[in-house]
Amino acid sequence: MGAGADWRGRVARWLRRLAALAALLLLAVGLALWWAARWTPPRTKFPLQGVTIDAGNGAVHWGSIKAAGADFAYIFATDGADGVDAGYARNMAAAREAGMRIGPIHRYSLCQLATDQAANFIRHVPRRADALPPVVWLDYDDRCPDRPTRALLLSELATFLAQIEAHMGKRSLIAPGPNFETDYKVTRGIARTTWLRRDFFPPDYGAHPWAMWQANDYMRLPGAEGTVGWNVVRPEGMSDEQE
């Protein structure tokens, strides 16, 4: 009887310890998520910071976004040859009314012709002298299994850029994800300003220094549903050693 009670006591103590450990782990995860949802690079190092927004962020209150410290906004506009972000027109108009500097993003598709994608962009994104340079978002998409050769991709991408830049009257930025850049080395083949991505740490890929960095894709802001991308502009004259 005594041995059984002792065994049950040891089991109970272990269970209490496991419960305490689980509670500590949950607390640590919660604190990490809380920190990630609020972290931004220091303003002293990166004075110009902004946000990326799409339809998934719901009915955005742009005054709140501006009050949260966003100096500019990039808004997803078009996708491939026929996709249009459902919130694009509303977001562009409301952000402009709130006094934000804004620019459009096109999600480039490996499965559709560059000329068709450019036509989609030109059809939905008006030319404005006050718009920020357009951005071409380059990443893999589960909807598209195609993997063209690097030579074909660079040729098509050059065609796309030439057409949308003639429409917008300014050169674009290219924004390859790390895996896409590893496979296609776009920054070596396309001479454009780059916008690179890496959460919480400066990007360590690309053929030349980035001009813009998406530093936190887990950011949460009052005025937008879900998470947004938080971006910083590289200060003029900043070297890689200063990142």
Side-chain angles (χ1 to χ4, degrees):
M1 186 76 175
D6 186 55
W7 177 82
R8 286 193 292 273
R10 287 198 299 270
V11 170
R13 285 194 295 274
W14 273 106
L15 289 175
R16 285 195 295 271
R17 290 172 183 169
L18 286 173
L21 179 60
L24 285 173
L25 288 173
L26 286 173
L27 178 61
V29 169
L31 287 172
L33 292 174
W34 180 89
W35 174 85
R38 290 158 178 79
W39 180 85
T40 62
R43 287 273 178 177
T44 52
K45 186 177 283 190
F46 302 102
L48 195 58
Q49 305 196 10
V51 67
T52 47
I53 292 287
D54 64 18
N57 297 122
V60 177
H61 188 284
W62 283 97
S64 297
I65 299 296
K66 188 174 182 180
D71 302 304
F72 63 89
Y74 267 100
I75 299 171
F76 282 92
T78 50
D79 184 341
D82 49 17
V84 182
D85 187 275
Y88 170 67
R90 178 185 69 245
N91 279 324
M92 289 293 274
R96 189 173 285 117
E97 186 175 344
M100 297 283 294
R101 294 202 66 196
I102 49 178
I105 300 175
H106 174 84
R107 295 184 190 271
Y108 190 85
S109 173
L110 295 177
C111 285
Q112 295 169 314
L113 292 175
T115 52
D116 293 340
Q117 295 191 59
N120 184 37
F121 181 89
I122 292 166
R123 186 162 55 248
H124 292 98
V125 179
R127 174 172 179 155
R128 289 185 61 106
D130 61 351
L132 294 172
V135 172
V136 185
W137 204 258
L138 298 164
D139 223 335
Y140 294 123
D141 186 336
D142 292 339
R143 299 169 299 173
C144 171
D146 288 5
R147 296 295 181 267
T149 65
R150 179 173 183 267
L152 178 58
L153 169 69
L154 294 180
S155 174
E156 283 284 283
L157 188 54
T159 297
F160 176 81
L161 288 167
Q163 293 184 14
I164 69 164
E165 288 171 357
H167 167 65
M168 296 296 286
K170 58 190 69 178
R171 285 167 72 84
S172 304
L173 281 72
I174 57 172
N179 293 333
F180 196 96
E181 174 66 13
T182 295
D183 293 342
Y184 283 106
K185 297 178 176 58
V186 179
T187 60
R188 294 183 183 275
I190 297 290
R192 292 296 187 282
T193 301
T194 57
W195 175 355
L196 303 182
R197 298 172 244 163
R198 189 185 183 197
D199 291 324
F200 314 123
F201 298 95
D204 57 358
Y205 67 98
H208 43 81
W210 51 270
M212 192 142 74
W213 162 32
Q214 181 176 281
N216 187 356
D217 197 31
Y218 299 94
M219 188 75 172
R220 290 184 179 273
L221 294 177
E225 297 176 12
T227 59
V228 302
W230 192 260
N231 315 286
V232 301
V233 174
R234 186 188 195 97
E236 189 173 345
M238 183 181 188
S239 67
D240 291 338
E241 290 75 17
Q242 292 174 300
E243 292 176 5

